[in-house]
Amino acid sequence: MSLKSWKLLGSHFKKNAQKKITDYFSEDPNRIKKFSLQWESFYVDYSKNLLDKGTLDLLITMAEESGLYKAIDAYFQGGRINETEGRAVLHTALRQIIPSTIMIDGENISPKIEEVKKQMFDFADRVISGKWKGHTGKSITHVVNIGIGGSDLGPAMVTEALEFYSNHLKLTFVSNLDGDHVEEVIKKIDSETTLFVIVSKSFTTQETISNGKTIKNWFLNHAPESAISNHFIAVSANLEKVTDFGIITENIFPINDWVGGRFSLWSSVGLAICLAIGPKNYEDLLQGAGKMDQHFRTADFKENIPVILALITFWYNNFWKVETEAIIPYSQYLRNLPAYLQQAFMESNGKGVDRNGKPVNYETGNIIWGASGTNAQHAFFQLMHQGTRMIPADFIGFAKPLYEGNDHQDKLMSNFFAQTQALMQGKNIENVREDLINQGKSRKEIEMLLPFKVFEGNRPSNTILIEQLTPANLGSLISLYEHKIFVQGIIWNIFSYDQWGVELGKQLANNILKDFDKKQIDHHDPSTQGLIEYYKKFRN
Ligand code: F6P
């Protein structure tokens, strides 16, 4: 990378690599004021990181040098920033607080967005109120979302995250090509009262079409062909394929090519969410995202939450050479946020060539993983505290619980705060020794136990403390991470909005599928050949 500030960051890193987070706190009594941000109902503390003002200034200069200001404008104004597919990236247009003119191919897309949203909301109202009837005249009680990747993870994660706001409709998600998944779903549904929403932008995705067909076949064993229009809905950009599948035009919710799959929950792909929590809450989700969009678009980089968090990740990824990053929401509702963000980050920024098609000579694409706290404390936190790797982590928590009347919240939050404190401070040998003496251990026992009980500390984290888990705040949180992905892509000079890396496996799977029925196959590598032959012995 030839950016001047990137080189300066390299020397800055070497000069400060021995410093500890706690040293930075000792040097600057005002650190917390300088390294925290308050925005709407978000409080973001990023003081527990291995950086100082000098680091941040250099990182911000680098963002400017990368052309981030211009890039943000192009992103929001519908520039074709997904260059390898020749598309704009406009999920932000779906959640504008006040719809403005956005021109694509000479057409203002905002009126159409409002029209599709109205179609979604009217439909959701009819289903929720019971006016939409199944083929025997009964109201709908169960919705099955059939999709995968962005057509599943977003709707599934948000529906689960906003369970508190949900109505009487039961939501089920089927995604995997594993036939046992769809069979388990079929076991629990009633053909008279279930609505099937097939979500596929392309309507060619093997998983979704296979699950859709299996469910349709099952359905037709319980209902006449004419009943399909009462029970099958499609969300897609491929109207022809949807019609071929047998779904009537009135039951199709369109999606545009400028909405990427992993950023599509704001479009008609969010229909399952809208059904589960109702149009008002869904609109709040959109508005919350829209507010974060405005913050990202207008705030100075020094006060810009997605920019700051992206730069911190970049700092660890490219200078500290950390391999992974954890996301730990202290809310059971958000247990699937890490899995959702895995697709968003890793499908976007897992790229090895730059915008000129040249291999990059630096690491891109942070690896995201995580689980909900406090569960994670009893699973993988041991490695985060005492393992050999540094794993920067985002801790996400909510100041107010959704249910009152129990005494869990203070306990939860004390754990939330204690973990980032423990990761940063650690526990030195003197303190461990003192504890063991106080516990009455013998000298011999103390010497034996000492090395195992020391915590090195100096492990960085960000704390995102949000007032309460509301649809609007969840919208803002997701939007925050979407923009973090965007900033990283600009700095790494890679294209974040295509996903060619998922294609090869799909092509090979199609070839192998054809080979299962052939008597003689000899064109695969020896390992794959052996596996196919072994597998064929089990086929009926
Ligand atoms: O995994 C590749 C991918 O294209 C994702 O980007 C997308 O979210 C998913 O497949 C599903 O695609 P579709 O909505 O076209 O079925």
Side-chain angles (χ1 to χ4, degrees), residues 498-529:
D498 57 23
Q499 56 284 318
W500 301 108
V502 301
E503 294 305 320
L504 178 60
K506 286 189 201 170
Q507 281 165 16
L508 297 184
N510 283 335
N511 296 344
I512 292 174
L513 185 60
K514 286 181 204 137
D515 285 347
F516 288 152
D517 287 327
K518 291 184 190 151
K519 278 222 157 61
Q520 198 67 33
I521 44 160
D522 52 14
H523 55 277
H524 294 286
D525 65 88
S527 162
T528 311
Q529 181 83 22

mmCIF file of all heavy atoms in Angstrom, residues 498-529:
data_model
loop_
_atom_site.group_PDB
_atom_site.id
_atom_site.type_symbol
_atom_site.label_atom_id
_atom_site.label_comp_id
_atom_site.label_asym_id
_atom_site.label_seq_id
_atom_site.Cartn_x
_atom_site.Cartn_y
_atom_site.Cartn_z
ATOM 1 N N ASP A 498 -19.315 -7.262 -4.314
ATOM 2 C CA ASP A 498 -19.536 -8.471 -5.112
ATOM 3 C C ASP A 498 -19.163 -9.675 -4.243
ATOM 4 O O ASP A 498 -18.759 -9.525 -3.089
ATOM 5 C CB ASP A 498 -18.727 -8.421 -6.428
ATOM 6 C CG ASP A 498 -17.234 -8.238 -6.172
ATOM 7 O OD1 ASP A 498 -16.766 -8.578 -5.078
ATOM 8 O OD2 ASP A 498 -16.531 -7.765 -7.080
ATOM 9 N N GLN A 499 -19.322 -10.868 -4.750
ATOM 10 C CA GLN A 499 -19.029 -12.078 -3.972
ATOM 11 C C GLN A 499 -18.714 -13.232 -4.915
ATOM 12 O O GLN A 499 -19.289 -14.299 -4.830
ATOM 13 C CB GLN A 499 -20.178 -12.439 -3.001
ATOM 14 C CG GLN A 499 -21.571 -12.633 -3.609
ATOM 15 C CD GLN A 499 -22.232 -11.337 -3.960
ATOM 16 O OE1 GLN A 499 -22.168 -10.379 -3.221
ATOM 17 N NE2 GLN A 499 -22.858 -11.297 -5.126
ATOM 18 N N TRP A 500 -17.758 -12.981 -5.813
ATOM 19 C CA TRP A 500 -17.439 -14.018 -6.808
ATOM 20 C C TRP A 500 -16.918 -15.276 -6.153
ATOM 21 O O TRP A 500 -17.012 -16.366 -6.713
ATOM 22 C CB TRP A 500 -16.410 -13.472 -7.818
ATOM 23 C CG TRP A 500 -16.911 -12.263 -8.544
ATOM 24 C CD1 TRP A 500 -16.501 -10.978 -8.380
ATOM 25 C CD2 TRP A 500 -17.970 -12.209 -9.520
ATOM 26 N NE1 TRP A 500 -17.224 -10.123 -9.193
ATOM 27 C CE2 TRP A 500 -18.126 -10.855 -9.904
ATOM 28 C CE3 TRP A 500 -18.793 -13.178 -10.097
ATOM 29 C CZ2 TRP A 500 -19.071 -10.444 -10.843
ATOM 30 C CZ3 TRP A 500 -19.736 -12.770 -11.034
ATOM 31 C CH2 TRP A 500 -19.859 -11.416 -11.396
ATOM 32 N N GLY A 501 -16.355 -15.131 -4.962
ATOM 33 C CA GLY A 501 -15.764 -16.290 -4.265
ATOM 34 C C GLY A 501 -16.758 -17.384 -3.918
ATOM 35 O O GLY A 501 -16.353 -18.488 -3.559
ATOM 36 N N VAL A 502 -18.058 -17.104 -4.016
ATOM 37 C CA VAL A 502 -19.003 -18.171 -3.679
ATOM 38 C C VAL A 502 -19.381 -18.992 -4.916
ATOM 39 O O VAL A 502 -20.088 -19.993 -4.815
ATOM 40 C CB VAL A 502 -20.290 -17.609 -3.010
ATOM 41 C CG1 VAL A 502 -19.951 -16.851 -1.734
ATOM 42 C CG2 VAL A 502 -21.060 -16.702 -3.959
ATOM 43 N N GLU A 503 -18.896 -18.568 -6.085
ATOM 44 C CA GLU A 503 -19.346 -19.188 -7.337
ATOM 45 C C GLU A 503 -18.713 -20.546 -7.643
ATOM 46 O O GLU A 503 -19.389 -21.467 -8.080
ATOM 47 C CB GLU A 503 -19.079 -18.246 -8.522
ATOM 48 C CG GLU A 503 -19.895 -16.976 -8.504
ATOM 49 C CD GLU A 503 -21.393 -17.240 -8.412
ATOM 50 O OE1 GLU A 503 -21.871 -18.190 -9.071
ATOM 51 O OE2 GLU A 503 -22.078 -16.523 -7.662
ATOM 52 N N LEU A 504 -17.387 -20.649 -7.420
ATOM 53 C CA LEU A 504 -16.677 -21.862 -7.842
ATOM 54 C C LEU A 504 -17.262 -23.121 -7.215
ATOM 55 O O LEU A 504 -17.531 -24.121 -7.893
ATOM 56 C CB LEU A 504 -15.177 -21.726 -7.499
ATOM 57 C CG LEU A 504 -14.300 -22.922 -7.833
ATOM 58 C CD1 LEU A 504 -14.332 -23.231 -9.326
ATOM 59 C CD2 LEU A 504 -12.856 -22.665 -7.366
ATOM 60 N N GLY A 505 -17.495 -23.055 -5.890
ATOM 61 C CA GLY A 505 -18.057 -24.214 -5.184
ATOM 62 C C GLY A 505 -19.409 -24.605 -5.770
ATOM 63 O O GLY A 505 -19.724 -25.796 -5.912
ATOM 64 N N LYS A 506 -20.220 -23.584 -6.130
ATOM 65 C CA LYS A 506 -21.553 -23.860 -6.700
ATOM 66 C C LYS A 506 -21.408 -24.611 -8.027
ATOM 67 O O LYS A 506 -22.105 -25.593 -8.278
ATOM 68 C CB LYS A 506 -22.292 -22.540 -6.992
ATOM 69 C CG LYS A 506 -22.808 -21.808 -5.784
ATOM 70 C CD LYS A 506 -23.692 -20.648 -6.269
ATOM 71 C CE LYS A 506 -23.848 -19.574 -5.217
ATOM 72 N NZ LYS A 506 -24.479 -18.365 -5.717
ATOM 73 N N GLN A 507 -20.471 -24.137 -8.871
ATOM 74 C CA GLN A 507 -20.270 -24.784 -10.188
ATOM 75 C C GLN A 507 -19.823 -26.226 -10.019
ATOM 76 O O GLN A 507 -20.349 -27.144 -10.652
ATOM 77 C CB GLN A 507 -19.185 -24.051 -10.969
ATOM 78 C CG GLN A 507 -19.632 -22.782 -11.617
ATOM 79 C CD GLN A 507 -18.438 -21.932 -12.054
ATOM 80 O OE1 GLN A 507 -17.314 -22.430 -12.130
ATOM 81 N NE2 GLN A 507 -18.676 -20.667 -12.304
ATOM 82 N N LEU A 508 -18.847 -26.425 -9.113
ATOM 83 C CA LEU A 508 -18.336 -27.782 -8.921
ATOM 84 C C LEU A 508 -19.417 -28.704 -8.361
ATOM 85 O O LEU A 508 -19.508 -29.879 -8.733
ATOM 86 C CB LEU A 508 -17.108 -27.770 -8.012
ATOM 87 C CG LEU A 508 -15.883 -27.010 -8.555
ATOM 88 C CD1 LEU A 508 -14.697 -27.155 -7.622
ATOM 89 C CD2 LEU A 508 -15.492 -27.485 -9.955
ATOM 90 N N ALA A 509 -20.260 -28.160 -7.467
ATOM 91 C CA ALA A 509 -21.343 -28.970 -6.896
ATOM 92 C C ALA A 509 -22.277 -29.439 -8.009
ATOM 93 O O ALA A 509 -22.735 -30.592 -8.018
ATOM 94 C CB ALA A 509 -22.101 -28.167 -5.856
ATOM 95 N N ASN A 510 -22.564 -28.545 -8.958
ATOM 96 C CA ASN A 510 -23.439 -28.934 -10.076
ATOM 97 C C ASN A 510 -22.813 -30.052 -10.894
ATOM 98 O O ASN A 510 -23.495 -31.003 -11.301
ATOM 99 C CB ASN A 510 -23.708 -27.724 -10.979
ATOM 100 C CG ASN A 510 -24.734 -26.809 -10.343
ATOM 101 O OD1 ASN A 510 -25.538 -27.256 -9.532
ATOM 102 N ND2 ASN A 510 -24.685 -25.534 -10.683
ATOM 103 N N ASN A 511 -21.501 -29.959 -11.140
ATOM 104 C CA ASN A 511 -20.815 -31.025 -11.890
ATOM 105 C C ASN A 511 -20.871 -32.341 -11.131
ATOM 106 O O ASN A 511 -21.169 -33.399 -11.702
ATOM 107 C CB ASN A 511 -19.332 -30.676 -12.105
ATOM 108 C CG ASN A 511 -19.173 -29.450 -12.969
ATOM 109 O OD1 ASN A 511 -20.123 -29.048 -13.633
ATOM 110 N ND2 ASN A 511 -17.990 -28.853 -12.961
ATOM 111 N N ILE A 512 -20.592 -32.271 -9.830
ATOM 112 C CA ILE A 512 -20.549 -33.504 -9.025
ATOM 113 C C ILE A 512 -21.938 -34.134 -8.952
ATOM 114 O O ILE A 512 -22.085 -35.357 -9.044
ATOM 115 C CB ILE A 512 -19.958 -33.206 -7.622
ATOM 116 C CG1 ILE A 512 -18.472 -32.850 -7.771
ATOM 117 C CG2 ILE A 512 -20.134 -34.391 -6.676
ATOM 118 C CD1 ILE A 512 -17.776 -32.386 -6.493
ATOM 119 N N LEU A 513 -22.960 -33.282 -8.830
ATOM 120 C CA LEU A 513 -24.336 -33.798 -8.760
ATOM 121 C C LEU A 513 -24.648 -34.650 -9.991
ATOM 122 O O LEU A 513 -25.247 -35.732 -9.882
ATOM 123 C CB LEU A 513 -25.308 -32.610 -8.659
ATOM 124 C CG LEU A 513 -26.778 -32.940 -8.459
ATOM 125 C CD1 LEU A 513 -27.015 -33.721 -7.166
ATOM 126 C CD2 LEU A 513 -27.616 -31.652 -8.428
ATOM 127 N N LYS A 514 -24.201 -34.181 -11.165
ATOM 128 C CA LYS A 514 -24.456 -34.942 -12.400
ATOM 129 C C LYS A 514 -23.697 -36.255 -12.385
ATOM 130 O O LYS A 514 -24.142 -37.263 -12.916
ATOM 131 C CB LYS A 514 -24.026 -34.114 -13.618
ATOM 132 C CG LYS A 514 -24.987 -32.977 -13.907
ATOM 133 C CD LYS A 514 -24.527 -32.209 -15.149
ATOM 134 C CE LYS A 514 -25.079 -30.798 -15.118
ATOM 135 N NZ LYS A 514 -24.098 -29.794 -15.501
ATOM 136 N N ASP A 515 -22.526 -36.250 -11.756
ATOM 137 C CA ASP A 515 -21.673 -37.444 -11.768
ATOM 138 C C ASP A 515 -22.214 -38.588 -10.905
ATOM 139 O O ASP A 515 -21.841 -39.746 -11.100
ATOM 140 C CB ASP A 515 -20.254 -37.082 -11.288
ATOM 141 C CG ASP A 515 -19.484 -36.337 -12.374
ATOM 142 O OD1 ASP A 515 -19.954 -36.342 -13.529
ATOM 143 O OD2 ASP A 515 -18.437 -35.748 -12.057
ATOM 144 N N PHE A 516 -23.070 -38.272 -9.937
ATOM 145 C CA PHE A 516 -23.551 -39.325 -9.044
ATOM 146 C C PHE A 516 -24.252 -40.450 -9.810
ATOM 147 O O PHE A 516 -24.215 -41.602 -9.414
ATOM 148 C CB PHE A 516 -24.519 -38.748 -7.983
ATOM 149 C CG PHE A 516 -23.837 -37.911 -6.926
ATOM 150 C CD1 PHE A 516 -24.526 -36.891 -6.278
ATOM 151 C CD2 PHE A 516 -22.519 -38.158 -6.553
ATOM 152 C CE1 PHE A 516 -23.921 -36.122 -5.296
ATOM 153 C CE2 PHE A 516 -21.897 -37.393 -5.571
ATOM 154 C CZ PHE A 516 -22.598 -36.374 -4.948
ATOM 155 N N ASP A 517 -24.927 -40.103 -10.908
ATOM 156 C CA ASP A 517 -25.686 -41.116 -11.644
ATOM 157 C C ASP A 517 -24.874 -41.795 -12.735
ATOM 158 O O ASP A 517 -25.358 -42.723 -13.391
ATOM 159 C CB ASP A 517 -26.951 -40.494 -12.248
ATOM 160 C CG ASP A 517 -27.981 -40.223 -11.169
ATOM 161 O OD1 ASP A 517 -28.011 -41.012 -10.200
ATOM 162 O OD2 ASP A 517 -28.707 -39.215 -11.271
ATOM 163 N N LYS A 518 -23.631 -41.339 -12.946
ATOM 164 C CA LYS A 518 -22.820 -41.961 -13.999
ATOM 165 C C LYS A 518 -22.142 -43.202 -13.431
ATOM 166 O O LYS A 518 -21.729 -43.215 -12.275
ATOM 167 C CB LYS A 518 -21.761 -40.970 -14.495
ATOM 168 C CG LYS A 518 -22.348 -39.800 -15.263
ATOM 169 C CD LYS A 518 -21.243 -38.920 -15.803
ATOM 170 C CE LYS A 518 -21.854 -37.629 -16.338
ATOM 171 N NZ LYS A 518 -20.936 -36.510 -16.248
ATOM 172 N N LYS A 519 -22.036 -44.226 -14.290
ATOM 173 C CA LYS A 519 -21.394 -45.477 -13.845
ATOM 174 C C LYS A 519 -19.915 -45.247 -13.629
ATOM 175 O O LYS A 519 -19.329 -45.668 -12.635
ATOM 176 C CB LYS A 519 -21.602 -46.552 -14.929
ATOM 177 C CG LYS A 519 -22.933 -47.223 -14.840
ATOM 178 C CD LYS A 519 -22.765 -48.758 -15.065
ATOM 179 C CE LYS A 519 -23.889 -49.561 -14.469
ATOM 180 N NZ LYS A 519 -25.218 -49.236 -15.036
ATOM 181 N N GLN A 520 -19.295 -44.581 -14.606
ATOM 182 C CA GLN A 520 -17.838 -44.410 -14.607
ATOM 183 C C GLN A 520 -17.485 -42.930 -14.502
ATOM 184 O O GLN A 520 -17.895 -42.138 -15.357
ATOM 185 C CB GLN A 520 -17.316 -44.968 -15.958
ATOM 186 C CG GLN A 520 -15.842 -45.276 -16.002
ATOM 187 C CD GLN A 520 -15.481 -46.439 -15.079
ATOM 188 O OE1 GLN A 520 -16.282 -47.358 -14.908
ATOM 189 N NE2 GLN A 520 -14.301 -46.390 -14.483
ATOM 190 N N ILE A 521 -16.760 -42.559 -13.470
ATOM 191 C CA ILE A 521 -16.245 -41.171 -13.443
ATOM 192 C C ILE A 521 -14.761 -41.215 -13.105
ATOM 193 O O ILE A 521 -14.336 -41.991 -12.242
ATOM 194 C CB ILE A 521 -16.976 -40.245 -12.429
ATOM 195 C CG1 ILE A 521 -17.196 -40.966 -11.092
ATOM 196 C CG2 ILE A 521 -18.244 -39.671 -12.969
ATOM 197 C CD1 ILE A 521 -17.436 -40.025 -9.953
ATOM 198 N N ASP A 522 -13.978 -40.399 -13.825
ATOM 199 C CA ASP A 522 -12.534 -40.454 -13.568
ATOM 200 C C ASP A 522 -11.863 -39.091 -13.717
ATOM 201 O O ASP A 522 -10.660 -38.977 -13.786
ATOM 202 C CB ASP A 522 -11.855 -41.451 -14.520
ATOM 203 C CG ASP A 522 -12.217 -41.156 -15.964
ATOM 204 O OD1 ASP A 522 -12.747 -40.055 -16.220
ATOM 205 O OD2 ASP A 522 -11.990 -42.025 -16.825
ATOM 206 N N HIS A 523 -12.660 -38.025 -13.769
ATOM 207 C CA HIS A 523 -12.046 -36.737 -14.030
ATOM 208 C C HIS A 523 -11.825 -35.866 -12.792
ATOM 209 O O HIS A 523 -11.451 -34.711 -12.906
ATOM 210 C CB HIS A 523 -12.874 -35.960 -15.063
ATOM 211 C CG HIS A 523 -14.314 -35.806 -14.665
ATOM 212 N ND1 HIS A 523 -15.246 -36.787 -14.885
ATOM 213 C CD2 HIS A 523 -14.951 -34.802 -14.029
ATOM 214 C CE1 HIS A 523 -16.411 -36.388 -14.422
ATOM 215 N NE2 HIS A 523 -16.251 -35.188 -13.884
ATOM 216 N N HIS A 524 -12.076 -36.393 -11.601
ATOM 217 C CA HIS A 524 -11.852 -35.577 -10.409
ATOM 218 C C HIS A 524 -10.458 -35.843 -9.838
ATOM 219 O O HIS A 524 -9.823 -36.844 -10.160
ATOM 220 C CB HIS A 524 -12.905 -35.909 -9.347
ATOM 221 C CG HIS A 524 -14.291 -35.526 -9.756
ATOM 222 N ND1 HIS A 524 -14.714 -34.222 -9.785
ATOM 223 C CD2 HIS A 524 -15.346 -36.275 -10.173
ATOM 224 C CE1 HIS A 524 -15.969 -34.176 -10.194
ATOM 225 N NE2 HIS A 524 -16.377 -35.414 -10.446
ATOM 226 N N ASP A 525 -10.021 -34.972 -8.959
ATOM 227 C CA ASP A 525 -8.769 -35.233 -8.257
ATOM 228 C C ASP A 525 -8.955 -36.503 -7.421
ATOM 229 O O ASP A 525 -10.091 -36.868 -7.088
ATOM 230 C CB ASP A 525 -8.426 -34.032 -7.359
ATOM 231 C CG ASP A 525 -9.456 -33.871 -6.277
ATOM 232 O OD1 ASP A 525 -9.302 -34.483 -5.219
ATOM 233 O OD2 ASP A 525 -10.480 -33.165 -6.510
ATOM 234 N N PRO A 526 -7.878 -37.208 -7.077
ATOM 235 C CA PRO A 526 -8.011 -38.509 -6.405
ATOM 236 C C PRO A 526 -8.797 -38.447 -5.096
ATOM 237 O O PRO A 526 -9.580 -39.351 -4.789
ATOM 238 C CB PRO A 526 -6.563 -38.915 -6.133
ATOM 239 C CG PRO A 526 -5.745 -38.141 -7.107
ATOM 240 C CD PRO A 526 -6.484 -36.872 -7.391
ATOM 241 N N SER A 527 -8.624 -37.390 -4.327
ATOM 242 C CA SER A 527 -9.345 -37.306 -3.053
ATOM 243 C C SER A 527 -10.852 -37.208 -3.294
ATOM 244 O O SER A 527 -11.640 -37.990 -2.740
ATOM 245 C CB SER A 527 -8.841 -36.092 -2.264
ATOM 246 O OG SER A 527 -9.767 -35.767 -1.272
ATOM 247 N N THR A 528 -11.248 -36.261 -4.151
ATOM 248 C CA THR A 528 -12.677 -36.061 -4.415
ATOM 249 C C THR A 528 -13.272 -37.300 -5.084
ATOM 250 O O THR A 528 -14.385 -37.746 -4.747
ATOM 251 C CB THR A 528 -12.872 -34.809 -5.306
ATOM 252 O OG1 THR A 528 -12.112 -33.744 -4.735
ATOM 253 C CG2 THR A 528 -14.315 -34.401 -5.401
ATOM 254 N N GLN A 529 -12.507 -37.887 -6.005
ATOM 255 C CA GLN A 529 -12.938 -39.116 -6.690
ATOM 256 C C GLN A 529 -13.263 -40.202 -5.649
ATOM 257 O O GLN A 529 -14.305 -40.844 -5.692
ATOM 258 C CB GLN A 529 -11.779 -39.556 -7.597
ATOM 259 C CG GLN A 529 -12.016 -40.787 -8.417
ATOM 260 C CD GLN A 529 -12.781 -40.468 -9.714
ATOM 261 O OE1 GLN A 529 -12.786 -39.346 -10.189
ATOM 262 N NE2 GLN A 529 -13.439 -41.474 -10.235
#
